[in-house]
Amino acid sequence: MNKIKKIGVLTSGGDSPGMNAAIRAVVRGSIYYDIEVTGFIRGYEGLINNDFIPMDRKSVANIIQRGGTVLKTARSEAFRTVEGRKKAYENLKAQNIDALVVIGGDGTFTGANIFSKEFDFPIVGLPGTIDNDLAGTDFTIGYDSAINTVIDAVDRIRDTAESHDRLFIVEVMGRDSGLIALRSGIGVGAEAIMIPEANMNADDILHKLEHSRKDKASKIIIVAEGDDTGGAFKVGEILQEKYPHYDTKVSVLGHIQRGGKPTCMDRVLASRLGVAAVEGLISGESGVMAGQVNREIIFTPFDHAIKHINAEKVSAKWLKLIDILSF
């Protein structure tokens, strides 16, 4: 077992609900094992600028229920350079930090992977992203909160759609992953779901509308922002041209999906993984992401965790389920 005396923790990239719960777990897990903790502000920028705060039990009190991240977050262009990473390493050594826990998504892990190999520095990552686009974990921290936010918003949109007999095209986040659209679309009873993994185009949506119930007052189509058709507005233009009799509206939910209180599922997941990251570093893990698969904690090398998602999490059975339920 490695003797680690001091751990650094940071959040990087896009924020996600549950990041604070993860920070709290890393800090309290470290203290439990008599390890000091330093928090770096604004992710890798904090490493480079030596912008940090010592963390203790009190510094993470009353944050488990808060969205966002108390450590702030940013995307760092400087960390993409050899000079930037060298400065970060020098700052870590000057602070006598023995290991890092980084919380973020594929961009965060890409930087961590390079840094860990360049300087032989122990790093464990936690999957903090609403996109759920990482291999090595069934769910990422923030995904459950995001899809529940979408469901709440679309339920409200359905009310006005019913009142006016409208067709709503709702765009959700996820970059080039359609997993937010997939689950939330099923959850709200959408008439169609457009995701990059399904290769569905506007013609498919037209076919669905032509063969759908004609007596249904409202219709909801969920579109992932990374869909190849070009997003909700493009889909809306195509449908309006083909079906001018529909009162078609477009709603882009945007960044509300990142904010708000994390769900219980995200709080528990973040808590489990935060402690697991500390225990992993103590036992010699490095260059890996801590995740939960089939309720068990596993460690997945960064190389595999990054962008190995589409074929693994969007299987034919999910696409068939959508067809059955939207019939």
Side-chain angles (χ1 to χ4, degrees), residues 237-307:
E237 289 174 7
I238 295 171
L239 296 185
Q240 188 67 72
E241 182 179 349
K242 178 69 175 179
Y243 297 111
H245 59 284
Y246 276 125
D247 186 3
T248 303
K249 300 293 181 183
V250 175
S251 181
V252 178
L253 298 187
H255 287 76
I256 67 166
Q257 294 157 88
R258 283 192 184 172
K261 293 183 177 182
T263 60
C264 179
M265 178 176 167
D266 275 328
R267 298 182 198 194
V268 173
L269 177 64
S271 298
R272 286 195 73 192
L273 296 184
V275 172
V278 174
E279 293 177 338
L281 287 169
I282 292 171
S283 63
E285 295 285 355
S286 180
V288 296
M289 180 196 78
Q292 179 178 284
V293 175
N294 296 327
R295 301 181 183 178
E296 297 295 326
I297 300 296
I298 68 167
F299 294 98
T300 302
F302 286 141
D303 286 331
H304 182 70
I306 299 166
K307 291 301 182 190

Side-chain angles (χ1 to χ4, degrees), residues 137-157:
T137 189
D138 290 332
F139 300 105
T140 56
I141 298 166
Y143 176 63
D144 186 65
S145 301
I147 59 176
N148 276 282
T149 295
V150 172
I151 286 174
D152 181 64
V154 177
D155 284 348
R156 295 167 189 263
I157 288 171

Side-chain angles (χ1 to χ4, degrees), residues 81-279:
T81 68
V82 174
E83 295 78 14
R85 293 191 296 271
K86 185 173 185 294
K87 188 174 181 182
Y89 176 74
E90 290 169 352
N91 288 336
L92 287 170
K93 299 310 291 183
Q95 295 296 329
N96 296 315
I97 292 174
D98 304 306
L100 272 178
V101 175
V102 298
I103 307 167
D106 61 325
T108 300
F109 295 161
T110 297
N113 194 31
I114 295 170
F115 185 84
S116 179
K117 291 176 179 178
E118 276 182 339
F119 300 101
D120 192 25
F121 197 85
I123 303 180
V124 170
L126 298 184
T129 169
I130 65 170
D131 300 337
N132 204 34
D133 58 349
L134 296 166
T137 189
D138 290 332
F139 300 105
T140 56
I141 298 166
Y143 176 63
D144 186 65
S145 301
I147 59 176
N148 276 282
T149 295
V150 172
I151 286 174
D152 181 64
V154 177
D155 284 348
R156 295 167 189 263
I157 288 171
R158 177 79 78 174
D159 289 342
T160 191
E162 288 278 346
S163 299
H164 294 274
D165 293 343
R166 282 174 173 163
L167 165 64
F168 264 90
I169 299 103
V170 181
E171 182 175 300
V172 300
M173 296 179 79
R175 293 197 298 178
D176 52 357
S177 168
L179 293 172
I180 292 177
L182 177 69
R183 284 184 181 259
S184 63
I186 292 171
V188 300
E191 279 62 47
I193 304 169
M194 298 185 70
I195 58 176
E197 298 87 349
N199 296 317
M200 181 180 288
N201 56 39
D203 289 336
D204 297 313
I205 298 299
L206 294 172
H207 178 78
K208 279 183 173 291
L209 290 175
E210 287 171 356
H211 293 82
S212 65
R213 283 172 46 200
K214 300 299 186 284
D215 61 336
K216 194 168 185 181
S218 69
K219 290 180 170 60
I220 302 289
I221 297 172
I222 303 293
V223 180
E225 65 179 350
D227 184 77
D228 294 336
T229 305
F233 282 103
K234 183 62 177 178
V235 173
E237 289 174 7
I238 295 171
L239 296 185
Q240 188 67 72
E241 182 179 349
K242 178 69 175 179
Y243 297 111
H245 59 284
Y246 276 125
D247 186 3
T248 303
K249 300 293 181 183
V250 175
S251 181
V252 178
L253 298 187
H255 287 76
I256 67 166
Q257 294 157 88
R258 283 192 184 172
K261 293 183 177 182
T263 60
C264 179
M265 178 176 167
D266 275 328
R267 298 182 198 194
V268 173
L269 177 64
S271 298
R272 286 195 73 192
L273 296 184
V275 172
V278 174
E279 293 177 338

